[in-house]
Amino acid sequence: MKISVAIDGPAAAGKSTVAKRVASILGFIYIDTGAMYRAFTYYVLKKGVDPQNEAASCALIPEVFIELLPGGKVLCNDEDVTDVIRETRISSNVSYIASYKAIRLHLVDLQREMAEKGSVVMDGRDIGTYVLPNAEVKIFQIASVETRAVRRYEENIQKGIKCELKEIEEDLRRRDYIDSHREFAPLKAAADSVLIDTSFMSVEEVVNTILSIIKRKTGVGEVK
Ligand code: CDP
């Protein structure tokens, strides 16, 4: 039985951390769709193109080849961009790139192809509403913006990425606004999704909650 789990929600709500764990516990493939929009943004900046220029950014589609490797590495035209796509210059431009319909259609095709290959946990903004509308399990994961800013700040510091807490919070607010107000496939909870507010939950609690929802809806997995 092939199962798709969609995890959507605003920036830095902890989706990728729990999605990765749930996928590894169940032996599913983890697909980080945000990493694909980030890798595209990396390429746009590398080419010296202004990410706010839609036509010039979309013109690069035929020359961008993005791959997500099983161990979590992200490749852009064979270059390992796993770490560089987390930098502030990428975070602050990615929502412009992600608002362009042509780029979304291109990346969504790749995402659907990956989901055809087996059971997946896919995280993003539009997975339950647009990419995989028939996903067996849909989660909408939220947390207060203050909590999300602190989490992303600590994550960045651990990775050696220089940042300011206040700037991170501003970036999250700005990205959430652009992501939820764009015309095509905006960030919003699917009508049949389960809402989880993780503001006061540990990673383990969120993982266990999602595992029990998957078990209840599909019969797959063990619940502690
Ligand atoms: O990890 P974080 O929450 O900061 O963001 P991400 O998941 O890496 O996604 C980066 C950006 O890509 C988001 O702010 C969205 O603008 C865009 N994105 C999207 O539009 N649709 C997706 N399915 C995934 C990401």
Side-chain angles (χ1 to χ4, degrees):
M1 180 181 176
K2 194 167 78 60
I3 291 166
S4 299
V5 178
I7 305 183
D8 291 302
K15 302 182 297 291
S16 64
T17 308
V18 301
K20 229 179 271 172
R21 293 215 194 166
V22 168
S24 118
I25 291 168
L26 297 176
F28 290 10
I29 303 163
Y30 165 57
I31 301 169
D32 176 357
T33 63
M36 300 169 79
Y37 292 96
R38 285 173 178 272
F40 201 108
T41 306
Y42 166 80
Y43 190 75
V44 169
L45 293 176
K46 183 177 167 174
K47 281 285 171 175
V49 168
D50 176 3
Q52 295 195 48
N53 182 333
E54 177 167 2
S57 298
C58 293
L60 297 175
I61 292 173
E63 53 187 275
V64 184
F65 182 59
I66 294 165
E67 276 178 289
L68 301 182
L69 302 186
K73 271 207 170 100
V74 185
L75 302 185
C76 179
N77 295 343
D78 290 329
E79 180 183 348
D80 183 347
V81 296
T82 317
D83 295 328
V84 74
I85 58 169
R86 303 294 155 193
E87 288 178 3
T88 308
R89 69 193 175 97
I90 305 292
S91 303
S92 55
N93 283 297
V94 62
S95 287
Y96 300 118
I97 295 300
S99 71
Y100 304 147
K101 186 172 178 181
I103 292 174
R104 298 199 72 81
L105 289 176
H106 175 64
L107 295 182
V108 167
D109 273 349
L110 296 178
Q111 291 156 15
R112 288 183 179 152
E113 252 170 53
M114 291 190 259
E116 273 303 306
K117 296 197 176 124
S119 291
V120 294
V121 180
M122 195 181 277
D123 87 46
R125 304 291 186 284
D126 57 340
I127 312 306
T129 52
Y130 183 75
V131 182
L132 304 174
N134 298 320
E136 284 73 14
V137 180
K138 297 182 186 179
I139 308 289
F140 198 76
Q141 192 169 318
I142 59 165
S144 71
V145 70
E146 293 80 9
T147 305
R148 292 188 279 128
V150 171
R151 286 180 186 165
R152 179 53 48 91
Y153 176 78
E154 285 170 355
E155 197 179 316
N156 282 356
I157 295 298
Q158 231 175 24
K159 285 184 185 155
I161 299 173
K162 267 176 64 179
C163 59
E164 299 274 344
L165 182 59
K166 206 169 158 287
E167 278 170 22
I168 292 201
E169 189 176 320
E170 276 162 19
D171 177 63
L172 297 184
R173 283 184 198 278
R174 211 195 57 249
R175 274 205 284 146
D176 288 352
Y177 184 85
I178 302 175
D179 292 348
S180 40
H181 288 80
R182 69 178 173 233
E183 214 168 293
F184 184 65
L187 164 68
K188 74 167 186 268
D192 51 352
S193 62
V194 179
L195 180 83
I196 305 180
D197 185 339
T198 71
S199 301
F200 303 103
M201 290 170 83
S202 68
V203 169
E204 211 195 338
E205 282 171 328
V206 183
V207 168
N208 287 336
T209 304
I210 294 178
L211 286 173
S212 60
I213 295 168
I214 295 172
K215 174 80 180 168
R216 178 158 49 81
K217 296 217 174 202
T218 69
V220 167
E222 291 304 322
V223 177
K224 272 193 237 160

